[in-house]
C-alpha cells in the first residue's frame, strides 16, 4: 500500500492517467473514412454539401472559440477542460451517428471545433502537475500515446472496413465505447493547484533551456512536436497567487510585443502560421480529393492504411531531426523554402495525377515535410523563450494560421464565396505553398550571403597588419 501511495503522490500517476486518456480519445477508426460515410447511404449527403457547407463550419467555429477556451483552460486549471473536451467528443460522435441532414452535421462541426480548441488543456495539464525534472519524459510519453492512438485508430478502421467486419455505424458505436473509457479516466485526474497565467506560484526560478538537452532528450521533447518544449520553470511548493483577467491580458500583450520584436522569431512564426494554415486546409479536404481521383469505392478502403503510414513516417521524420547537427540559425530559412517547395510539388502531384497511389504517396511526402519543418520551427522558437512565452507564441501562431484558414475557407471553399471544386482548391493550395517556398528560399539565400560576407570581413580585419590598424586610428585615440 505504501508503494501505491508513493506512486499516486508522484508524477507517474497523473502521467499514466493522462496517457490512457490521450490514447482512447485519439483512437478514431472512422476518421479516415469520414467522406465515404457522409456521402454514402448512411447520411446521403453530396460531396458539394460536405465540402462547401459542412466542413467550413469547423473553421469558423474554431476561430470563434479558440481564445476564450485558451483563457478558460488556464483559469479553470486544465482538468475541467480535459473532462469537458471528452464530453464534447462523445457528443460529436453521437451526433455523427444518430443525426441526419446538413444542419445537424453543421452543428456537429461546431461541437467538434470546441473539442479541437480544448486540446490545449492536454499538454498544459502536464505543465501544471509534473515537476520540471520529469517534464520532458511525461510530455514525451503523452505525445507518443497520442500518435499511437491516431495510428491504431487508422489501422483498426482499415481492418474493419477492408474485411467488412463492421458497418460504419457500428464503428461509431465502438468509438463511443472508447471515448467513454477516456471520459471515466479523465475524472480520476488530480486537480492542479497552479496554472501558467492565472494561478502562478509566487516564487519561481528558472532552469536551463532547450540548448541544455542532450541528443537523447531533445528528440523526445521537440522531435515529436510537443507543444510545451521550451524553457522550463520550476514551481516550488508554496503559495499560489491568483491574478485577475485584466492583469493576465496586460501581461500577455506585453509579452506578445516583446517576443515578436525579435526579427528572427518573427520570420519563423510567419512561416509557422502560413504553413500550418495550408497544412490544415490540405488535411481537412484530402479525402474529398482521394474520392475524386478514384471515385469507385474499391480504393476508399486504403484511406486508413495511408493515414497510419503517414503518421508513422511523420513521427519518425520529426524524431530524427533531433539527431541532426545543423546550424538552423544559418540554414533554417533556406530549408523552409526548399522543403516548402517540395511540399508544393507533392500537392501538385496529388492534384493532377490520375493514379490514386501517386495521390496517396504525395500526401505522405507532404505530411512528412510539414512535420519536419514545424519541428525545426518549434526548436528555434523554444530555444530562447520561457515556458509561458512559448505557450503564448504557440497560441498566437496557431491563431494567425486559423485567421488565414478562415479567410481561405470563406473565399475559396464556402458555398457563399467562390465554392470551388476540389481540383481548383488543391491547385490554389499548391500555389500557396509555392509562394511560401519562393519567399523563404530567397530570404534564406540572402541570409547566407550576408553571413558569409560578414565572415569574410571579420577575417580580413583579423589579417590586417597592426601598422595599418594603427594608421586608421586618430592621433587623439593613439595617445
Amino acid at each position: 500500500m505504501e508503494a501505491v501511495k508513493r506512486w499516486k503522490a508522484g508524477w507517474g500517476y497523473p502521467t499514466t492517467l493522462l496517457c490512457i486518456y490521450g490514447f482512447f480519445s485519439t483512437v478514431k477508426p472512422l476518421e479516415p473514412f469520414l467522406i465515404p460515410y457522409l456521402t454514402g447511404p448512411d447520411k446521403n449527403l453530396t460531396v458539394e454539401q460536405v465540402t462547401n457547407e459542412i466542413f467550413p463550419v469547423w473553421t469558423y467555429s474554431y476561430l470563434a472559440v479558440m481564445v476564450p477556451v485558451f483563457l478558460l483552460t488556464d483559469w479553470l486549471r486544465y482538468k475541467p477542460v480535459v473532462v469537458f473536451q471528452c464530453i464534447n467528443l462523445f457528443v460529436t460522435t453521437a451526433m455523427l451517428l444518430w443525426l441526419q441532414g446538413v444542419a445537424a452535421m453543421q452543428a456537429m462541426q461546431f461541437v467538434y471545433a470546441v473539442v479541437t480548441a480544448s486540446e490545449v488543456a492536454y499538454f498544459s495539464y502536464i505543465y501544471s502537475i509534473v515537476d520540471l525534472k520529469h517534464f520532458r519524459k511525461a510530455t514525451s510519453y503523452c505525445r507518443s500515446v497520442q500518435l499511437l492512438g491516431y495510428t491504431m485508430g487508422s489501422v483498426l478502421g482499415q481492418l474493419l472496413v477492408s474485411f467488412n467486419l463492421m458497418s460504419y455505424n457500428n464503428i461509431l458505436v465502438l468509438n463511443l465505447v472508447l471515448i467513454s473509457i477516456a471520459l471515466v479516466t479523465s475524472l480520476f485526474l488530480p486537480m492542479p493547484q497552479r496554472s501558467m497565467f492565472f494561478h502562478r506560484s509566487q516564487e519561481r526560478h528558472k532552469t536551463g533551456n532547450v540548448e541544455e538537452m542532450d541528443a537523447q532528450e531533445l528528440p523526445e521533447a521537440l522531435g515529436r512536436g510537443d507543444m510545451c518544449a521550451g524553457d522550463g520553470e520550476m514551481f516550488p511548493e508554496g503559495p499560489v497567487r491568483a491574478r485577475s483577467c485584466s492583469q493576465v491580458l496586460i501581461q500577455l500583450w506585453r509579452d506578445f510585443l516583446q517576443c515578436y520584436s525579435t526579427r528572427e522569431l518573427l520570420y519563423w512564426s510567419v512561416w509557422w502560421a502560413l504553413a500550418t494554415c495550408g497544412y490544415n486546409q490540405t488535411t481537412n479536404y484530402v479525402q474529398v480529393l482521394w474520392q475524386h481521383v478514384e471515385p469507385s469505392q474499391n480504393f476508399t478502403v486504403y484511406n486508413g492504411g495511408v493515414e497510419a503510414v503517414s503518421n508513422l513516417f511523420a513521427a519518425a521524420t520529426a524524431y530524427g531531426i533531433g539527431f541532426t547537427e545543423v546550424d538552423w540559425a544559418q540554414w533554417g530559412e533556406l530549408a523552409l523554402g526548399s522543403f516548402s517547395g517540395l511540399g508544393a510539388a507533392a500537392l501538385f502531384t496529388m492534384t493532377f495525377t490520375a493514379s490514386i497511389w501517386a495521390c496517396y504517396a504525395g500526401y505522405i511526402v507532404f505530411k512528412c515535410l510539414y512535420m519536419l519543418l514545424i519541428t525545426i520551427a518549434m526548436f528555434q522558437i523554444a530555444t530562447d523563450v520561457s515556458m509561458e512565452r512559448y505557450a503564448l507564441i504557440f497560441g498566437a501562431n496557431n491563431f494567425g494560421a486559423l485567421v488565414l484558414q478562415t479567410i481561405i475557407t470563406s473565399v475559396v471553399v464556402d458555398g457563399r464565396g467562390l465554392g470551388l471544386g476540389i481540383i481548383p482548391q488543391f491547385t490554389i493550395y499548391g500555389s500557396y505553398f509555392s509562394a511560401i517556398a519562393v519567399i523563404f528560399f530567397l530570404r534564406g539565400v540572402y541570409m547566407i550571403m550576408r553571413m558569409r560576407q560578414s565572415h569574410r570581413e571579420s577575417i580580413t580585419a583579423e589579417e590586417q597588419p597592426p601598422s595599418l590598424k594603427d594608421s586608421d586610428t586618430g592621433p587623439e585615440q593613439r595617445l
Side-chain angles (χ1 to χ4, degrees):
M1 290 298 295
E2 289 297 325
V4 174
K5 288 182 180 179
R6 285 197 301 269
W7 177 68
K8 292 185 70 173
W11 69 281
Y13 176 68
T15 302
T16 301
L17 289 178
L18 202 63
C19 286
I20 295 172
Y21 171 83
F23 177 79
F24 284 102
S25 63
T26 53
V27 177
K28 302 174 184 177
L30 187 70
E31 192 167 87
F33 309 98
L34 184 59
I35 295 298
Y37 175 66
L38 292 175
T39 58
D42 294 298
K43 297 302 176 185
N44 202 29
L45 298 169
T46 66
V47 173
E48 289 73 21
Q49 287 175 322
V50 173
T51 305
N52 304 127
E53 298 180 39
I54 296 175
F55 280 2
V57 173
W58 174 86
T59 305
Y60 305 146
S61 303
Y62 188 16
L63 179 65
V65 302
M66 183 181 185
V67 174
V69 169
F70 175 79
L71 295 174
L72 194 64
T73 297
D74 195 87
W75 183 57
L76 294 176
R77 290 175 293 177
Y78 314 120
K79 177 185 173 177
V81 179
V82 172
V83 177
F84 179 68
Q85 180 194 33
C86 202
I87 293 173
N88 278 277
L89 185 58
F90 188 94
V91 172
T92 299
T93 308
M95 294 175 70
L96 186 61
L97 175 60
W98 286 307
L99 299 185
Q100 301 284 338
V102 173
M105 294 300 100
Q106 289 175 330
M108 179 270 294
Q109 287 288 295
F110 172 79
V111 179
Y112 188 65
V114 176
V115 174
T116 310
S118 302
E119 182 73 14
V120 66
Y122 182 74
F123 284 105
S124 300
Y125 179 88
I126 306 172
Y127 168 81
S128 66
I129 208 73
V130 176
D131 287 339
L132 178 67
K133 61 183 178 181
H134 303 300
F135 182 75
R136 285 194 288 266
K137 285 186 177 180
T139 306
S140 176
Y141 294 155
C142 292
R143 180 59 175 167
S144 297
V145 297
Q146 269 200 328
L147 293 172
L148 179 63
Y150 286 125
T151 304
M152 287 295 294
S154 299
V155 172
L156 179 60
Q158 178 73 71
L159 294 174
L160 294 176
V161 172
S162 296
F163 294 99
N164 200 24
L165 299 177
M166 281 188 179
S167 65
Y168 288 143
N169 285 333
N170 288 337
I171 292 176
L172 282 174
V173 173
L174 173 62
N175 203 3
L176 287 175
V177 174
L178 298 173
I179 296 171
S180 299
I181 297 174
L183 178 58
V184 172
T185 304
S186 68
L187 298 175
F188 290 94
L189 288 169
M191 185 67 184
Q193 298 303 312
R194 63 174 185 255
S195 64
M196 276 191 283
F197 302 112
F198 283 96
H199 307 279
R200 301 173 67 175
S201 298
Q202 291 186 11
E203 296 181 8
R204 297 181 299 141
H205 67 272
K206 293 212 172 190
T207 62
N209 58 29
V210 174
E211 292 176 335
E212 296 174 358
M213 301 181 192
D214 59 29
Q216 296 297 323
E217 294 172 323
L218 176 60
E220 286 185 357
L222 280 174
R224 294 174 183 173
D226 298 341
M227 188 190 85
C228 299
D231 261 5
E233 289 186 284
M234 176 78 76
F235 288 80
E237 296 298 329
V240 176
R241 178 169 56 90
R243 306 170 74 197
S244 67
C245 185
S246 60
Q247 288 177 312
V248 171
L249 292 177
I250 291 172
Q251 186 61 47
L252 286 175
W253 177 246
R254 289 173 178 170
D255 287 348
F256 176 86
L257 293 178
Q258 187 166 352
C259 286
Y260 288 98
S261 64
T262 305
R263 182 172 297 182
E264 289 75 13
L265 187 149
L266 178 62
Y267 289 136
W268 284 97
S269 296
V270 167
W271 179 89
W272 181 328
L274 292 173
T276 299
C277 166
Y279 173 80
N280 288 340
Q281 283 294 102
T282 300
T283 55
N284 283 352
Y285 296 96
V286 70
Q287 288 188 39
V288 182
L289 178 65
W290 290 342
Q291 188 156 315
H292 175 84
V293 174
E294 183 52 62
S296 69
Q297 293 296 313
N298 294 331
F299 279 87
T300 58
V301 296
Y302 293 103
N303 291 2
V306 172
E307 289 288 357
V309 171
S310 65
N311 284 332
L312 288 175
F313 278 25
T317 303
Y319 181 82
I321 198 64
F323 294 94
T324 58
E325 297 293 336
V326 178
D327 182 7
W328 295 115
Q330 178 177 357
W331 298 97
E333 293 181 30
L334 187 63
L336 293 179
S338 302
F339 288 120
S340 295
L342 293 177
L347 285 175
F348 283 127
T349 301
M350 293 166 59
T351 305
F352 297 112
T353 185
S355 169
I356 188 64
W357 299 109
C359 194
Y360 282 156
Y363 175 70
I364 294 172
V365 170
F366 172 79
K367 192 169 185 176
C368 289
L369 290 171
Y370 171 79
M371 290 300 175
L372 169 73
L373 295 177
I374 196 67
T375 302
I376 298 172
M378 285 179 171
F379 174 83
Q380 288 301 113
I381 291 174
T383 298
D384 297 317
V385 297
S386 66
M387 178 74 75
E388 287 91 344
R389 287 186 175 178
Y390 182 71
L392 174 63
I393 294 168
F394 182 94
N397 290 350
N398 284 330
F399 182 77
L402 191 56
V403 170
L404 291 172
Q405 191 177 348
T406 302
I407 295 172
I408 293 175
T409 299
S410 62
V411 174
V412 175
V413 182
D414 199 318
R416 291 166 294 184
L418 296 177
L420 298 179
I422 196 62
I423 295 300
Q425 281 186 43
F426 269 77
T427 303
I428 291 174
Y429 303 154
S431 303
Y432 175 85
F433 271 94
S434 298
I436 295 174
V438 170
I439 292 171
F440 281 89
F441 182 83
L442 292 178
R443 172 164 172 80
V445 171
Y446 166 75
M447 289 298 295
I448 291 173
M449 292 177 63
R450 193 176 73 171
M451 288 182 179
R452 291 186 174 179
Q453 179 65 27
S454 299
H455 182 65
R456 284 196 295 267
E457 290 176 355
S458 63
I459 292 177
T460 302
E462 291 175 359
E463 293 177 349
Q464 191 174 12
S467 59
L468 292 180
K469 292 182 181 180
D470 293 340
S471 65
D472 293 335
T473 306
E476 297 87 355
Q477 293 175 322
R478 285 198 296 270
L479 292 173

